[in-house]
């Protein structure tokens, strides 16, 4: 034990998370489970979500094909001022106090496409996406657009249970001003290398997401860790494993603010083990932050220009 660093000792176990069945007709029963999960860790699994394994596998295959392209080809779709497109390795720095350089990951962001005649066209997280050359990656855009819509559908289903868990009407979040045509980003990630916290090297530094909730799919390679209590020193980190057929969901800062701190967004990070690791993170915001909370979009824009989220 004396040869281990404090950081290594603090990683105590593999986390055990609540599993929410989205096919359960008793939404109130699911809400009780979800509420406890949100109070315990802010992370949980969802099963029977309706996203086929075939579509998920296809999305991951296309993601791998993109990241396998030469850097010169990927740089043709470099992330623009609307935060769409490719972000190279070390582009994001999530935990500057503990990291010696940017995250050992690369990403590609696909977002909500608003109408050019709409009132939010000039706002961040709107406007057309940028896509890889279809001659280079045929079918890539079609697969990603289909997966995006499926992930959005699942998040709206979770939002119903979330509303009940907060003692609200079941459709509280599924209104035009909240999740009607919501703002949402889907980010493909590729991690590589081996992390060494004692040297400040992370696949993805510690952070909390800044949206309402995030829906995460991974390729099964271990790496995601959560810290249930960020105020305890030293911080205790737990690995969160993937479960076949399930998605990992975590709360974001926006829901913490909406719930007046009752539900909390949770610190998480990724440690690389030398294997390539791929994930797809779907980050759900809300139109309300644009129509009623203009200060929040300024905060989100600043954070987005500084880093991308992960998992």
């Amino acid at each position: 034990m004396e040869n281990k660093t404090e950081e290594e000792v603090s990683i105590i176990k593999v986390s055990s998370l609540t599993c929410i069945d989205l096919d359960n007709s008793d939404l109130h029963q699911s809400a009780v489970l979800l509420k406890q999960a949100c109070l315990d860790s802010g992370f949980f699994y969802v099963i029977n979500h309706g996203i086929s394994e075939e579509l998920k596998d296809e999305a991951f295959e296309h993601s791998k094909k993109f990241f396998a392209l030469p850097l010169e080809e990927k740089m043709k779709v470099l992330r623009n001022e609307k935060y769409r497109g490719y972000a190279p390795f070390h582009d994001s720095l999530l935990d500057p106090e503990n990291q010696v350089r940017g995250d050992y990951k690369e990403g590609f962001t696909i977002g909500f496409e608003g109408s050019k005649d709409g009132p939010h066209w000039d706002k961040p997280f709107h406007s057309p996406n940028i896509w890889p050359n279809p001659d280079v990656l045929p079918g890539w855009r079609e697969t990603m657009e289909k997966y995006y819509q499926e992930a959005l559908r699942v998040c709206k289903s979770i939002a119903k249970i979330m509303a009940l868990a907060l003692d609200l009407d079941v459709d509280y979040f599924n209104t035009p001003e909240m999740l009607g045509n919501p703002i949402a980003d889907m980010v493909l990630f590729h991690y590589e290398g081996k992390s060494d916290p004692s040297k400040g090297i992370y696949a993805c530094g510690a952070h909390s997401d800044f949206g309402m909730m995030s829906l995460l799919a991974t390729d099964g390679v271990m790496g995601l860790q959560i810290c249930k209590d960020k105020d305890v020193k030293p911080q205790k980190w737990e690995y969160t494993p993937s479960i076949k057929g399930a998605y990992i969901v975590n709360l974001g800062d926006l829901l913490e603010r909406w719930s007046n701190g009752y539900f909390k967004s949770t610190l998480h990070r990724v440690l690389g083990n030398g294997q390539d690791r791929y994930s797809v993170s779907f980050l759900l915001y809300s139109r309300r932050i644009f129509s009623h909370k203009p200060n929040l979009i300024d905060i989100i824009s600043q954070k987005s220009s500084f880093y991308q989220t992960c998992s």
Side-chain angles (χ1 to χ4, degrees):
M1 180 69 74
E2 50 271 3
N3 293 326
K4 291 190 176 183
T5 66
E6 181 178 72
E7 180 76 29
E8 290 172 322
V9 172
S10 70
I11 301 170
I12 55 176
K13 62 179 180 179
V14 173
S15 183
S16 177
L17 301 181
T18 300
C19 194
I20 306 297
D21 185 349
L22 296 184
D23 197 35
N24 184 0
S25 60
D26 189 341
L27 293 182
H28 290 277
Q29 181 186 60
S30 295
V32 171
L33 292 173
L34 188 145
K35 181 177 182 178
Q36 187 56 50
C38 292
L39 294 173
D40 176 52
S41 68
F43 272 73
F44 54 92
Y45 299 108
V46 293
I47 59 172
N48 292 324
H49 39 72
I51 300 179
S52 71
E53 283 296 304
E54 291 76 15
L55 177 59
K56 177 185 172 183
D57 291 344
E58 187 177 355
F60 271 81
E61 280 303 309
H62 278 292
S63 176
K64 291 177 181 179
K65 287 179 181 178
F66 172 79
F67 290 123
L69 292 174
L71 181 60
E72 179 182 359
E73 187 68 32
K74 290 184 285 190
M75 293 298 285
K76 292 178 181 178
V77 287
L78 184 65
R79 189 174 61 185
N80 60 21
E81 71 280 359
K82 299 292 186 180
Y83 315 113
R84 309 294 174 82
Y86 174 66
F89 284 102
H90 313 301
D91 178 76
S92 59
L93 185 67
L94 290 162
D95 187 9
E97 290 186 7
N98 294 301
Q99 290 180 259
V100 295
R101 66 178 306 181
D103 297 340
Y104 281 71
K105 72 174 189 293
E106 54 183 340
F108 190 98
T109 300
I110 300 162
F112 171 84
E113 291 195 346
S115 167
K116 194 169 185 178
D117 299 323
H120 307 295
W121 178 254
D122 61 341
K123 297 290 195 303
F125 306 107
H126 292 72
S127 80
N129 288 298
I130 54 178
W131 301 99
N133 187 334
D135 293 331
V136 176
L137 294 174
W140 201 91
R141 174 176 178 174
E142 293 76 10
T143 295
M144 295 307 171
E145 287 181 326
K146 184 176 181 180
Y147 188 94
Y148 183 103
Q149 291 301 322
E150 283 291 279
L152 177 58
R153 175 188 57 77
V154 172
C155 285
K156 286 185 176 183
S157 295
I158 298 169
K160 289 178 176 289
I161 305 173
M162 189 72 69
L164 293 176
L166 289 167
D167 297 321
L168 300 169
D169 181 79
V170 67
D171 289 317
Y172 179 84
F173 292 117
N174 288 296
T175 56
E177 66 272 17
M178 296 290 282
L179 295 183
N181 295 317
I183 311 307
D185 282 341
M186 184 171 85
V187 191
L188 317 176
F189 287 113
H190 169 224
Y191 303 85
E192 67 177 33
K194 191 168 185 177
S195 299
D196 188 344
S198 68
K199 296 180 179 179
I201 299 173
Y202 296 85
C204 181
H207 69 286
S208 59
D209 293 347
F210 53 81
M212 178 183 176
M213 73 174 83
S214 301
L215 181 74
L216 174 68
T218 78
D219 61 358
V221 175
M222 190 76 87
L224 175 64
Q225 295 181 333
I226 66 174
C227 175
K228 292 181 179 179
D229 191 341
K230 59 188 175 185
D231 296 322
V232 170
K233 303 298 181 182
Q235 292 177 336
K236 296 186 180 298
W237 293 91
E238 303 175 9
Y239 276 104
T240 301
S242 297
I243 297 177
K244 186 173 178 58
Y247 282 75
I248 298 171
V249 181
N250 65 278
L251 309 185
D253 299 339
L254 187 59
L255 191 60
E256 177 175 326
R257 178 164 176 168
W258 279 346
S259 68
N260 198 28
Y262 184 60
F263 288 166
K264 298 185 182 300
S265 57
T266 302
L267 280 179
H268 52 288
R269 68 186 187 185
V270 176
L271 297 188
N273 61 8
Q275 293 179 270
D276 283 326
R277 181 178 183 271
Y278 297 86
S279 67
V280 180
S281 186
F282 187 86
L283 302 114
L284 180 68
Y285 315 121
S286 163
R287 183 161 300 285
R288 186 174 179 181
I289 63 176
F290 294 92
S291 57
H292 298 292
K293 303 284 187 182
N295 61 314
L296 282 185
I297 188 56
D298 293 335
I299 294 171
I300 289 174
S301 298
Q302 291 166 10
K303 292 183 77 173
S304 290
S305 64
F306 181 57
Y307 62 75
Q308 289 182 331
T309 188
C310 84
S311 290

